[in-house]
Amino acid sequence: MARVLGFLLLLVLFFHIAMASDPSPLQDFCVADPNSQVSVNGFACKNPNLVQANDFYFGGLRTKGNTSNAVGSKVSLVSVEQLPGLNTLGISMARVDYEPWGLNPPHVHTRATELFTVLEGTIEVGFVTSNPENRFITKVLQKGDVFVFPKRLVHFQRNIGNTNALAVSTLSSQNPGIVTIANAVFGSKPDISTDILAKAFQTSDHVVENLQLKF
Ligand code: GLV
Ligand code: MN
């Protein structure tokens, strides 16, 4: 009897776990209708009869992103915001441009795993596992190489060459979410109190104030 009960419990757990993922789409597509007043998880569907080829198209990645900024990189994201046909499909992508030694700084994607492919250049990548190990996993990638950043882990990429580098990423959400660590911690609006950050980072108020001024 105890065995049967145990088996039934396992069965219940299994189905519970199996159903705890994104539901599969129940139709061919659900092009986002940004004008709909209906509030749903994602966007409401545009009338399928009104859908056009351009709803599944984005032409904005033909040219290099503008990397003239403090870190020397630019992520051009193609999520459901840019490409309404992605709604409910659980996928998006990005073009990432780097100046020589440009950095895509440490960040997390709150809703997506990222599959990263180098198209041009040599790029150092890394991510850090969760507490308590905080293991740093890093590798140097060449043109054609692929690397995965698991969902929600802090990761970065840096061009370690003297020429421009280029990569594309595929992300497992129509809306992956990007939290850049330095911006979130030192550039929040309003500021997190200086003394909280000074204690958290085991440094002085002065160092924190300088960082807050930068972000
Ligand atoms: C984009 O978020 C990237 O990490 O390439
Ligand atoms: Mn990323």
Side-chain angles (χ1 to χ4, degrees):
M1 186 62 181
R3 267 198 198 163
V4 174
L5 279 177
F7 177 73
L8 284 176
L9 187 66
L10 270 180
L11 215 61
V12 167
L13 273 178
F14 173 78
F15 280 110
H16 183 74
I17 291 163
M19 292 190 316
S21 64
D22 284 352
S24 298
L26 302 174
Q27 59 250 316
D28 285 351
F29 51 76
C30 167
V31 170
D33 177 0
N35 302 320
S36 170
Q37 299 302 308
V38 181
S39 228
V40 290
N41 187 19
F43 291 94
C45 308
K46 185 171 168 178
N47 179 344
N49 298 324
L50 302 180
V51 160
Q52 302 293 329
N54 275 347
D55 290 316
F56 302 96
Y57 166 83
F58 179 72
L61 290 190
R62 292 183 185 183
T63 50
K64 179 177 174 290
N66 182 1
T67 55
S68 307
N69 52 53
V71 288
S73 77
K74 173 70 182 174
V75 175
S76 306
L77 182 66
V78 185
S79 69
V80 69
E81 298 287 339
Q82 290 77 26
L83 181 37
L86 289 177
N87 193 37
T88 75
L89 297 184
I91 194 166
S92 59
M93 61 88 63
R95 168 183 175 139
V96 195
D97 288 281
Y98 310 81
E99 286 180 358
W101 297 93
L103 174 72
N104 183 10
H107 62 279
V108 299
H109 301 291
T110 47
R111 290 176 286 275
T113 288
E114 174 175 347
L115 197 55
F116 179 83
T117 308
V118 179
L119 299 187
E120 291 298 337
T122 302
I123 299 179
E124 172 188 5
V125 299
F127 68 85
V128 179
T129 68
S130 57
N131 298 350
E133 289 83 8
N134 297 135
R135 182 168 164 215
F136 177 43
I137 294 180
T138 184
K139 186 155 178 75
V140 172
L141 306 180
Q142 309 293 339
K143 178 174 176 172
D145 289 354
V146 177
F147 195 82
V148 65
F149 301 109
K151 193 188 268 194
R152 302 194 187 102
L153 296 187
V154 174
H155 62 280
F156 69 86
Q157 306 111 23
R158 179 168 67 151
N159 176 9
I160 56 171
N162 293 323
T163 53
N164 289 342
L166 173 64
V168 288
S169 280
T170 312
L171 297 128
S172 65
S173 167
Q174 67 178 38
N175 180 22
I178 304 180
V179 179
T180 304
I181 306 304
N183 299 50
V185 173
F186 298 109
S188 66
K189 295 172 201 75
D191 278 345
I192 301 175
S193 302
T194 306
D195 58 320
I196 290 178
L197 293 179
K199 194 160 191 164
F201 286 86
Q202 299 283 285
T203 188
S204 64
D205 286 13
H206 180 66
V207 168
V208 170
E209 276 158 13
N210 274 340
L211 286 166
Q212 285 176 321
L213 282 177
K214 285 214 169 75
F215 291 93

